[in-house]
Amino acid sequence: MSKTKSSESVKVVVRCRPMNDKEKASKFNLVVSVDVKLGQIMVRNPREASELPKVFTFDSVYDCNSKQIDLYDETFRPLVDSVLLGFNGTIFAYGQTGTGKTYTMEGVRNDPERRGVIPNSFEHIFTHISRSQNQQYLVRASYLEIYQEEIRDLLSKDQSHRLELRERPDTGVYVKDLSSFVTKSVREIEHVMNVGNQNRSVGATNMNEHSSRSHAIFVITVECSELGMDGENHIRVGKLNLVDLAGSERQAKTGAQGERLKEATKINLSLSALGNVISALVDGRSSHIPYRDSKLTRLLQDSLGGNARTVMVANIGPASYNVEETLTTLRYANRAKNIKNKPRINEDPKDALLREFQEEIARLKDQLEKRVGKKKKRRQRRRAGEGSDGEDLEDAETEDDDEEGGDYWREQQDKLEREKKAILDDHSLVADEKDRLLREKEKKMEDLRREKEVGEMLAAKVKAMESKLLVGGKNIVDHTNEQQRMLELRRQEIAEQKRREREMQQQMESRDEETLELKETYSSLQQEVDIKTKKLKKLFSKLQAVKAEIQDIQEAHIKERQEHEQTQNELTRELKLKHLIIENFIPLEEKNKILNRAFYDEEEECWKMKAITRIEDDHQMMSRPPSAVGYRRPLSHHAHIAMRMKPDMRYKAENILMLDMDLPARTTEEYQEPVIAPKVAAALEDALRDEDEIQVDASGFHSSLGPTLPASGSLKKPKSGRPRTSKKSSTPTSPFSPCSPGSPLYPQSRGLVPK
Ligand code: ADP
Ligand code: MG
């Protein structure tokens, strides 16, 4: 679906900043000269005045007097324009710390003259949208930072959270859970940028050091919907990455160990990986491009040799003490010129947010319409009903034709109010009936209110969503606008003219050397000798320059290799220590187990342990260690013994909580029999014995009644029901022995004999 386009090179421009006050005060020599017309940078060797300056040619170069707006119009505007057309675009700022990367990308915030690419692109994008016609736009922004190979979302509330990279076959690499904000104006997107910048400095202990070691990426996604020739809406999505890279100077890793070494090796990992990716792309021989080596290269994979237009700004300083770094930067930039990208318009991608917005708006509108439709129908129906029976509490006013939604609600509410009042005034109704009717009306009013709220909510939602979709063509006839546009057009033309001139100059220069003298005819031998000597000299100096270049590169290479070796040595030392620990303190068996479980997670780039499962791949059950049999976890022999010997909590490996219930404190006492004097006891015994004799008689009386009364059954009952009493009665010492039910003296008072 996307239009393919032939490949194009990464555009590389170089910007040299002016000498700063400190450099001026220290009277450093200027070693960089810039030929803007030819697009060349010349670097003199400050130590060797006789040495020829090194010359580098780029797409365009900017000297210390260059204006931000010139850079924008000549170099960045065409790129942002293509983003507005639906291409992906990336702008990198590369260079040593303090050479103007941030100045180029962001610039001075409150000074319109010195604003950088990012604010200028805001202006450009929203101006373009306001002038567009028959197009719908959705603009959103994200801001992230990569520091020591960790990605931080600069727009999220939780700044301690680290984000991860994910890959999808259809859309490529993306940052999971990265927040993005839909912005409707320059002011809003500027606010997003300011919030991100604040968060950037909040997370840093030393802002200068932090910014020189971290990469900041501001991402603007512009989605545009337009009616195509086929009568369908088509969406184009352009993504603009604005990257302020970490300082390119070498970070010293010497003497670092352990955590510090790990940190040091991570600091510029992304940057060296970027260099390796560029080398691999330019080399042409290597089929493998090491994008996966760092977060930055993975995230910007498309910008390097993929579907994007890319501009790289190499920033350099002019002073002599920076000459090494300046040359490194220029060589780096020189290599990047040869990267070939294959940009294409991203048409109708699956993840276009604009499409989702449009569909959601359509759905909400549909819902809203249905509600309005229902209302109207209901009203018409009611009106028809009123016409037929003619008697209603309604006033004639409500009959007025008014299609406005707001009026409809008011009208309905008034009507219900009136009905309620009428019920209240109607004295003929019974109180209950009145109550019921009133409740009914109130419920109706409540329903009406709720319905109205839902309708309003829907309408508000539609409005909010629609406001996010930007449409232009409002002030297209504005006179000042028109003038401004002409001015911009002129500026663009001039920029284009300059570019063409430069190209022509560059071409002429190279042709000069190649062909000029081939065609030449010599009038005399002497002349030929002269001219050829001149040419020889020129070529010789060129040869010398190339030789010097080769030597420089070799030196740089050796230095880099030495650094790598040093890092490797330190890492090996570190590794040997780990080995020592493992070999001496970890049982072989355990080590093998760990080795079997460990696996490398490519996605997160770290080693992980497989979860322990009961049945391993070789179908072996995990066995319990002998010291854990009967217990939940292994116990030492000493603990076993100690646990058995004394109930000490210290050796109880489990269930150390005492969960037995505590008994409540006792509030009663044991029963003590009263002490009775022997005399009294004897008297009582006598008395009781007498009664027993009487009872013998009574039982005879009882048994005579036996067949008529189920006495034994009914007599047993109280005995079994109150065993204590019976027990007491049997104790000879009890003073209140209850009378036997069979007693003839009290046969009825006990109530035990059924009547
Ligand atoms: P970097 O981000 O590369 O570390 P900065 O952008 O912070 O460097 O620039 C360092 C200083 O140099 C800043 O004070 C900036 O204003 C100044 N500077 C850089 N480039 C220019 C330039 N082209 N013109 C004027 N001042 C500049
Ligand atoms: Mg900076």
Side-chain angles (χ1 to χ4, degrees):
M1 266 201 266
S2 36
K3 290 167 197 156
T4 39
K5 210 181 160 277
S6 58
S7 69
E8 61 177 47
S9 299
V10 167
K11 193 170 170 183
V12 179
V13 304
V14 175
R15 185 182 202 183
C16 183
R17 72 159 163 77
M19 286 265 217
N20 61 29
D21 293 340
K22 239 166 81 187
E23 288 164 351
K24 274 186 207 153
S26 313
K27 295 206 166 54
F28 280 113
N29 283 333
L30 265 176
V31 290
V32 176
S33 49
V34 180
D35 188 335
V36 180
K37 275 236 159 74
L38 260 177
Q40 281 182 341
I41 303 270
M42 272 126 342
V43 185
R44 277 191 302 110
N45 186 344
R47 286 181 298 269
E48 201 73 54
S50 62
E51 201 180 292
L52 284 166
K54 296 191 169 66
V55 183
F56 298 86
T57 310
F58 296 98
D59 291 293
S60 44
V61 295
Y62 297 93
D63 59 14
C64 57
N65 302 317
S66 59
K67 298 236 165 21
Q68 297 274 42
I69 195 73
D70 292 339
L71 247 90
Y72 194 80
D73 281 338
E74 287 174 34
T75 303
F76 305 124
R77 188 177 286 279
L79 183 95
V80 177
D81 271 330
S82 55
V83 168
L84 289 164
L85 284 176
F87 287 99
N88 291 336
T90 300
I91 300 173
F92 285 104
Y94 179 91
Q96 190 189 358
T97 301
T99 51
K101 295 185 296 298
T102 309
Y103 182 82
T104 304
M105 295 311 291
E106 279 170 36
V108 182
R109 219 169 285 171
N110 305 320
D111 185 351
E113 287 261 308
R114 290 190 289 164
R115 269 191 327 212
V117 195
I118 300 178
N120 277 331
S121 71
F122 297 165
E123 199 79 44
H124 180 178
I125 289 168
F126 285 101
T127 311
H128 174 93
I129 292 172
S130 76
R131 287 174 188 162
S132 68
Q133 273 175 318
N134 306 322
Q135 286 170 334
Q136 251 184 346
Y137 283 91
L138 186 72
V139 181
R140 63 201 148 108
S142 307
Y143 203 178
L144 63 95
E145 179 187 74
I146 304 176
Y147 181 60
Q148 287 192 11
E149 288 308 284
E150 283 184 338
I151 301 174
R152 195 153 62 101
D153 184 352
L154 291 173
L155 302 179
S156 102
K157 287 211 173 71
D158 178 14
Q159 283 298 307
S160 58
H161 190 61
R162 298 288 173 263
L163 302 183
E164 309 214 325
L165 286 180
R166 289 273 179 276
E167 194 161 2
R168 267 208 315 251
D170 52 341
T171 51
V173 181
Y174 66 98
V175 184
K176 194 174 162 250
D177 300 333
L178 178 70
S179 45
S180 76
F181 287 85
V182 173
T183 53
K184 303 193 287 283
S185 63
V186 174
R187 210 172 43 78
E188 279 187 22
I189 199 165
E190 265 174 358
H191 179 68
V192 168
M193 184 179 79
N194 291 340
V195 168
N197 281 340
Q198 266 163 23
N199 279 337
R200 210 178 164 202
S201 50
V202 164
T205 40
N206 176 351
M207 186 52 200
N208 246 346
E209 187 182 288
H210 183 82
S211 79
S212 73
R213 291 177 172 193
S214 66
H215 313 280
I217 308 181
F218 194 89
V219 188
I220 310 173
T221 312
V222 184
E223 298 186 3
C224 168
S225 156
E226 194 177 15
L227 206 64
M229 296 290 220
D230 53 0
E232 296 258 326
N233 259 327
H234 286 289
I235 292 181
R236 297 187 308 253
V237 181
K239 198 167 149 193
L240 179 62
N241 293 305
L242 301 153
V243 190
D244 188 352
L245 290 173
S248 63
E249 63 276 2
R250 281 217 182 94
Q251 308 278 349
K253 291 175 203 157
T254 11
Q257 267 186 18
E259 278 305 306
R260 249 179 35 83
L261 174 71
K262 221 160 77 186
E263 211 172 86
T265 49
K266 263 186 182 177
I267 286 173
N268 259 349
L269 183 77
S270 276
L271 212 56
S272 54
L274 182 67
N276 294 341
V277 165
I278 292 175
S279 297
L281 281 169
V282 173
D283 188 10
R285 275 173 297 173
S286 48
S287 57
H288 171 72
I289 313 292
Y291 290 117
R292 297 188 74 93
D293 282 2
S294 79
K295 299 254 155 77
L296 180 77
T297 46
R298 270 192 87 186
L299 202 54
L300 298 174
Q301 186 165 341
D302 258 348
S303 313
L304 300 157
N307 169 25
R309 290 202 159 137
T310 304
V311 173
M312 179 188 207
V313 193
N315 290 95
I316 54 172
S320 52
Y321 72 103
N322 281 335
V323 73
E324 289 293 322
E325 283 299 340
T326 301
L327 282 172
T328 317
T329 303
L330 290 173
R331 287 198 190 103
Y332 199 93
N334 219 5
R335 262 188 303 168
K337 279 195 307 195
N338 302 318
I339 300 176
K340 292 269 185 288
N341 280 347
K342 292 174 220 61
R344 55 170 200 266
I345 292 177
N346 305 307
E347 210 169 307
D348 292 323
K350 283 199 196 90
D351 58 343
L353 195 66
L354 185 57
R355 174 84 70 213
E356 276 172 41
F357 262 63
Q358 282 174 339
E359 282 168 5
E360 180 69 10
I361 289 171
R363 198 180 61 81
L364 289 173
K365 272 191 172 161
D366 198 43
Q367 256 183 29
L368 204 63
E369 215 142 84
K370 267 190 200 141
R371 295 186 81 86
V372 174
K374 238 191 324 194
K375 264 180 340 207
K376 273 186 193 161
K377 228 183 269 168
R378 215 182 301 153
R379 213 160 87 162
Q380 277 164 1
R381 209 172 343 146
R382 204 182 47 244
R383 227 173 267 161
E386 278 158 16
S388 65
D389 57 36
E391 49 166 18
D392 205 313
L393 293 161
E394 232 172 322
D395 274 357
E397 264 176 80
T398 49
E399 296 289 301
D400 279 350
D401 250 331
D402 195 320
E403 298 299 325
E404 289 296 320
D407 282 353
Y408 169 79
W409 296 116
R410 215 170 305 124
E411 188 186 291
Q412 286 294 307
Q413 209 159 358
D414 285 354
K415 188 188 137 203
L416 281 169
E417 283 286 358
R418 267 195 308 280
E419 284 176 1
K420 205 168 131 185
K421 202 157 167 278
I423 293 167
L424 273 172
D425 294 344
D426 192 346
H427 300 293
S428 64
L429 286 169
V430 193
D432 284 5
E433 184 73 0
K434 222 178 197 174
D435 260 3
R436 193 183 59 76
L437 283 173
L438 276 175
R439 266 203 303 278
E440 221 167 74
K441 288 288 163 206
E442 244 151 43
K443 192 169 164 292
K444 256 193 198 164
M445 275 172 95
E446 185 58 35
D447 285 350
L448 189 72
R449 213 173 303 135
R450 212 169 299 142
E451 201 171 323
K452 189 183 166 195
E453 269 168 21
V454 172
E456 277 172 356
M457 219 172 65
L458 272 175
K461 214 164 158 189
V462 169
K463 215 170 162 189
M465 288 191 86
E466 268 182 337
S467 78
K468 286 189 179 171
L469 297 186
L470 306 170
V471 283
K474 281 176 200 150
N475 42 10
I476 195 78
V477 282
D478 198 331
H479 187 61
T480 50
N481 225 333
E482 196 60 28
Q483 268 186 343
Q484 209 177 344
R485 231 174 100 190
M486 291 307 286
L487 197 69
E488 271 167 32
L489 224 64
R490 286 275 167 282
R491 276 219 301 262
Q492 271 176 48
E493 275 170 18
I494 292 169
E496 183 63 18
Q497 187 80 23
K498 268 195 198 166
R499 195 183 58 75
R500 246 179 283 147
E501 256 177 49
R502 196 167 43 236
E503 265 176 21
M504 256 147 62
Q505 284 257 8
Q506 284 175 2
Q507 274 175 11
M508 253 161 63
E509 186 92 339
S510 63
R511 213 166 291 166
D512 228 23
E513 290 163 5
E514 287 166 17
T515 58
L516 190 66
E517 295 179 26
L518 285 179
K519 290 179 199 146
E520 222 155 319
T521 46
Y522 307 106
S523 50
S524 70
L525 215 62
Q526 184 57 42
Q527 195 192 9
E528 194 180 341
V529 169
D530 284 350
I531 288 172
K532 287 208 165 154
T533 318
K534 214 172 104 195
K535 194 184 172 188
L536 192 68
K537 268 188 187 155
K538 210 170 165 186
L539 284 176
F540 185 73
S541 64
K542 224 175 160 184
L543 179 71
Q544 292 307 313
V546 170
K547 270 189 179 164
E549 181 76 21
I550 289 172
Q551 199 177 343
D552 279 356
I553 292 174
Q554 266 175 352
E555 269 169 24
H557 207 82
I558 289 169
K559 215 188 247 171
E560 205 173 317
R561 208 187 63 202
Q562 278 170 349
E563 248 170 54
H564 279 311
E565 276 172 359
Q566 199 183 346
T567 312
Q568 198 190 338
N569 282 344
E570 269 148 21
L571 286 172
T572 315
R573 230 171 78 179
E574 199 59 23
L575 193 68
K576 277 182 180 162
L577 176 68
K578 298 268 153 74
H579 254 294
L580 183 84
I581 297 171
I582 292 169
E583 295 306 324
N584 289 294
F585 295 96
I586 307 225
L588 190 68
E589 201 185 326
E590 297 302 318
K591 191 182 99 179
N592 287 339
K593 272 188 209 159
I594 294 171
L595 282 179
N596 283 337
R597 273 179 63 202
F599 71 100
Y600 193 72
D601 187 341
E602 292 283 346
E603 198 61 51
E604 289 178 33
E605 293 168 355
C606 63
W607 283 95
K608 283 186 173 176
M609 297 287 252
K610 260 187 257 169
I612 299 180
T613 44
R614 283 260 157 227
I615 295 171
E616 298 277 294
D617 293 338
D618 52 0
H619 299 287
Q620 267 185 349
M621 273 293 266
M622 293 263 300
S623 60
R624 263 178 101 65
S627 59
V629 175
Y631 296 97
R632 270 196 227 175
R633 52 185 75 78
L635 284 181
S636 72
H637 182 64
H638 177 73
H640 267 296
I641 305 276
M643 217 163 74
R644 258 182 247 141
M645 299 292 282
K646 46 186 174 180
D648 190 350
M649 283 304 141
R650 183 170 165 193
Y651 295 106
K652 270 194 109 167
E654 51 205 47
N655 293 345
I656 55 164
L657 288 179
M658 307 279 283
L659 296 174
D660 296 333
M661 275 196 284
D662 283 338
L663 287 172
R666 189 167 169 183
T667 54
T668 56
E669 281 178 11
E670 287 293 328
Y671 174 70
Q672 297 274 320
E673 285 190 354
V675 186
I676 300 166
K679 259 191 191 168
V680 180
L684 272 171
E685 205 140 303
D686 279 352
L688 284 168
R689 201 182 305 137
D690 283 349
E691 274 197 20
D692 275 353
E693 273 157 24
I694 297 164
Q695 206 176 6
V696 172
D697 289 347
S699 69
F701 169 71
H702 236 281
S703 60
S704 72
L705 284 170
T708 48
L709 287 170
S712 60
S714 58
L715 279 173
K716 251 181 209 160
K717 241 186 190 166
K719 265 193 186 168
S720 63
R722 301 175 69 183
R724 274 173 170 275
T725 331
S726 67
K727 200 177 161 193
K728 266 184 192 165
S729 72
S730 65
T731 46
T733 44
S734 172
F736 307 108
S737 165
C739 295
S740 157
S743 161
L745 291 176
Y746 324 102
Q748 281 154 336
S749 66
R750 299 297 298 258
L752 297 169
V753 184
K755 286 175 188 162

